[in-house]
């Protein structure tokens, strides 16, 4: 249930609505409904964030989630529209596994993980989620995995070596 959302014309971000949930609170006068929205925002070239908003109406929940997603952006190290290496992530009972794929493979992932990868700018990846299929936990596990990726340049700089010494 991933839906692409339209942004403002001056906005360079890709926005995706991953899930909308309805909750009910029973009070004296009947039921009061609330809505939660899970969204993912990215620039398609390595920056991605997710947001979770709650409100009494769906549009307000979505706008709150979009605003939170823009605040919680992380940078992802990509290589040729794919990942540098296979990576695992977890959140709660959800575990995800992602590995780089050759050009033309596409995004082989489902649900919330697909939305995060597409917004981040990953074009070729093989991915699988295990355990809980809760969209919120899948998105958080995917974000944890992407945040853990380090480029060879970062590793070389941290070790005080050149890139050739690391990859050689």
């Amino acid at each position: 249930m991933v839906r692409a959302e339209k942004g403002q014309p001056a906005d360079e971000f890709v926005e995706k609505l991953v899930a909308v949930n309805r909750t009910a609170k029973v009070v004296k006068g009947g039921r009061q409904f609330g809505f939660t929205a899970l969204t993912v925002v990215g620039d398609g070239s390595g920056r991605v964030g997710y947001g979770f908003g709650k409100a009494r109406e769906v549009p307000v929940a979505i706008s709150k989630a979009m605003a939170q997603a823009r605040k919680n952006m992380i940078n992802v190290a990509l290589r040729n529209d794919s990942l540098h290496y296979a990576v695992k992530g977890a959140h709660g009972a959800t575990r995800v596994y992602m590995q780089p794929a050759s050009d033309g493979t596409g995004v082989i992932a489902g649900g919330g993980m697909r939305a995060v990868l597409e917004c981040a700018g990953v074009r070729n990846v093989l991915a699988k989620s295990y355990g809980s299929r809760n969209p919120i936990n899948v998105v958080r596990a995917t974000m944890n995995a992407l945040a853990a990726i380090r480029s060879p340049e970062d590793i070389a700089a941290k070790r005080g070596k050149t890139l050739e010494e690391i990859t050689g």
Side-chain angles (χ1 to χ4, degrees):
M1 166 159 176
V2 176
R3 231 179 278 138
E5 290 291 314
K6 300 244 189 261
Q8 292 83 13
D11 198 3
E12 73 278 1
F13 291 118
V14 177
E15 301 174 337
K16 290 192 185 279
L17 176 63
V18 178
V20 175
N21 211 4
R22 188 181 79 171
T23 60
K25 178 172 84 168
V26 179
V27 295
K28 185 177 175 183
R31 293 187 189 95
Q32 283 188 344
F33 293 109
F35 296 92
T36 63
L38 177 65
T39 61
V40 178
V41 174
D43 65 355
S45 62
R47 288 185 61 209
V48 66
Y50 74 96
F52 189 68
K54 299 180 185 181
R56 292 263 185 234
E57 291 94 28
V58 176
V60 179
I62 292 172
S63 64
K64 283 183 180 181
M66 291 292 181
Q68 186 181 4
R70 289 173 197 282
K71 288 184 199 169
N72 299 331
M73 303 274 282
I74 62 167
N75 289 320
V76 180
L78 299 178
R79 185 193 72 199
N80 300 335
D81 293 335
S82 188
L83 306 175
H84 283 284
Y85 51 86
V87 65
K88 293 179 183 179
H91 187 273
T94 301
R95 299 181 323 274
V96 297
Y97 174 76
M98 296 176 280
Q99 72 180 31
S102 58
D103 285 342
T105 302
V107 178
I108 311 294
M113 196 186 318
R114 173 181 288 273
V116 173
L117 293 170
E118 286 177 351
C119 287
V122 179
R123 304 279 176 262
N124 301 296
V125 67
L126 300 170
K128 180 69 179 163
S129 65
Y130 301 97
S132 170
R133 295 177 298 179
N134 182 330
I136 300 165
N137 289 345
V138 171
V139 167
R140 287 180 174 166
T142 306
M143 293 291 287
N144 289 346
L146 291 177
I149 294 177
R150 299 286 173 251
S151 68
E153 293 85 11
D154 292 344
I155 294 170
K158 187 174 182 180
R159 294 182 189 176
K161 298 187 175 189
T162 64
L163 188 61
E164 291 75 32
E165 290 175 317
I166 299 290
T167 59

